[in-house]
Amino acid sequence: MSDKNITSVLKETRQFPPSAEFVARTTVNATERDRLAEWAERDPDGFWAEQAKSLHWTKPWDTVLDWSNVPHAKWFVGGQLNASDNCLDRHVAAGRGNKAALVWEGEPGDSRTLTYQQLLSEVCKFANALKALGVEKGDRITIYMPMIPEAAVAMLACARIGAMHSVVFGGFSADAVADRNNDAKSKLVITADGGWRRGKVVPLKANVDAALEKSPTVEKCVVFNRCNTAVEMKAGRDVWWHDLVAGASADCPAEPMDSEHPLFILYTSGSTGKPKGVLHTTGGYLLGVSLTHKWVFDIKDDDVYWCTADVGWITGHSYIVYGPLCNGSTVVMYEGAPNQPREDRFWEIIAKYRVTIFYTAPTAIRAFIKWGDQHPKGHDLSSLRLLGSVGEPINPEAWMWYHNVIGGGRCPIVDTWWQTETGAIMISPLPGAIPTKPGSATKPLPGIAAEVVDKQGHPVPANAGGFLVVKRPWPSMMRTIYGDDERYKSTYWSHYPNIYFTADGARRDEDGYIWVMGRVDDVLNVSGHRLSTMEVESALVHHPKVAEAAVVGKPDDLKGEGIVCFVTLKQGVAPTDELKAELKAHVVKDIGALARPDDVRFTDSLPKTRSGKIMRRFLRDIAAGRQSTGDATTLEDLNVLAKLRADDE
Ligand code: WT7
């Protein structure tokens, strides 16, 4: 950032208590927060059992937590419920069927509102259609959709009949879709002809066609007509969504599922080249997302809530679909880019729908700052009362801008730390209960035993860097990596006995506030998207001209991290600029546009230790170079992170 007045997070002392007005209406005030935290500490099972009464169970549980088979937790064992019933039927039965559930705006400007009653009926019809296609409980279904209501309909229809969805972000390539189909052994793919992004149609169906060439388990493909573009429909395999639901009944009773019945798989990047299928189950996940959505967003019946994530990521699963709908909230959903047709699109949407709660990512906030204050200032943002941030550390400068320019100085900011694996928010302010500090996610939520520890697992002194861990199981935790229990154990549970390892570096200040600094493994955070360095390396070495590749992150003012690739070429291959472009395109084809390298650098050899390990720290230093941001925040955190990283010994 060009602003010279940047305060380092290590010296950040500003505090922002919620206004008296906010506190007066809040669900969890400071006293209540203390009571909940103390209760959860003293009697975790009793605490979670009481919270779980907020869900609609068709059969009560016998055991709150079964932790006998560590690290595979079972929550609310013996209980039965259905996620789609909790998100839909329950509200309709309570007389809230006419409340808006999804308020959707397409990128070209078209819009639709679905009430809870309408959403229920769409979900039932589509669930019946899935059944007619032969989908059964326990089957895996890939969803590769644009941000349209039908993405949520497809997810909830799967949940209704007990099929596990695996949503793949629409920005992933055909190859990435095929990999995920094959790992999950998906039976069916749900997609659309395309979706709108920056005025163009993203050709989703064409990508699926390519993916299905190499996805032997997929039998059928359902296609929603979003953009009216020409697509090939393969006879016997491809069916139009509108044809399927045309004759389908809107009566489809939700099937009771065991609390531990798998709800979905969501692939995320880890330290190896192969993405992990993070598995979440029904009861614990639903409790985690609905409770945190209620607490952290201080949700009220009249709120208009907008989370700008894509349903292809965990944020979309937990805080567009399951959490808010389980709470009967009105959810705004937007299909396209924030700068289409102009840079004020988000502010226009907030003013148009009178959005009260807005949840977005630091990378977006930094883009808004760059685009200029005139865009938000041109719109009435007075409906906003609470702001949220997610996905990466938020630098104090971006926090202050968000607070002043978007929040008008009156809206608390909830900086929410969590992961695909944790299912729900873990560390965050409860906005009416705790003063915030720019750049800190503040404290763990009641019931969440998050701590910062050293290599031996001992809590670190105030302000010393350490590893962020979670010492007790929690209901929305992942249950395993789909099909790979061993990888689940070694990735998360082998660093400390019976303690969950997050792979994030953090520090706790003298007030007990946690400051998350970033990953200590080989995972990059590019524009809030998680990417494995090894995934990019493996894409590169598959190119016929590449001998070896090493990929590291470098600080980037806008994206948080940029991708730098060090490449050695095969004998006789000339290191040209054309080849650089070709390699970048190759990575995009293999993974998706989100993985486009910022920089490809050719080198004669890669620096290695005597045992043959690539010296990543050295490469990171070179990649960061002297162009490094001048943002003291980033620099100091990077030093602490470098010390925490295992590969630097
Ligand atoms: C990683 C998880 C959580 C949903 C979106 C990302 C980073 C996430 C924060 C935050 C600092 C954060 C961590 C984490 N991260 N939120 N508020 N402050 N860092 O989910 O793709 O699973 O990535 O995102 O490094 O480990 P994800």
Side-chain angles (χ1 to χ4, degrees), residues 235-277:
R237 185 192 72 184
D238 299 345
V239 251
W240 286 109
W241 177 300
H242 53 257
D243 287 340
L244 275 176
V245 297
S249 153
D251 181 29
C252 177
E255 286 175 40
M257 299 293 152
D258 284 337
S259 178
E260 282 299 331
H261 184 73
L263 183 62
F264 64 84
I265 306 170
L266 184 57
Y267 285 88
T268 188
S269 295
S271 300
T272 73
K274 189 175 180 297
K276 309 178 275 199

Side-chain angles (χ1 to χ4, degrees), residues 41-61:
E41 207 52 44
R42 177 170 40 81
D43 173 21
D45 284 12
F47 169 80
W48 289 119
E50 186 61 30
Q51 307 310 323
K53 290 181 185 165
S54 63
L55 299 178
H56 177 228
W57 297 84
T58 44
K59 180 168 170 271
W61 62 86

Side-chain angles (χ1 to χ4, degrees), residues 365-443:
I365 297 169
R366 292 190 296 262
F368 302 145
I369 297 175
K370 194 181 94 178
W371 293 340
D373 292 9
Q374 69 277 18
H375 299 296
K377 289 203 165 129
H379 295 275
D380 176 9
L381 304 183
S382 64
S383 57
L384 290 171
R385 66 179 198 87
L386 179 62
L387 304 175
S389 170
V390 62
E392 49 178 321
I394 179 165
N395 46 312
E397 187 200 11
W399 197 101
M400 289 307 301
W401 183 88
Y402 200 26
H403 176 76
N404 290 322
V405 181
I406 305 305
R410 74 185 174 277
C411 305
I413 296 177
V414 288
D415 173 3
T416 62
W417 178 89
W418 56 296
Q419 306 176 301
T420 305
E421 293 88 339
T422 69
I425 297 170
M426 302 287 276
I427 305 175
S428 166
L430 291 180
I434 187 169
T436 51
K437 299 185 188 185
S440 169
T442 75
K443 297 185 179 185

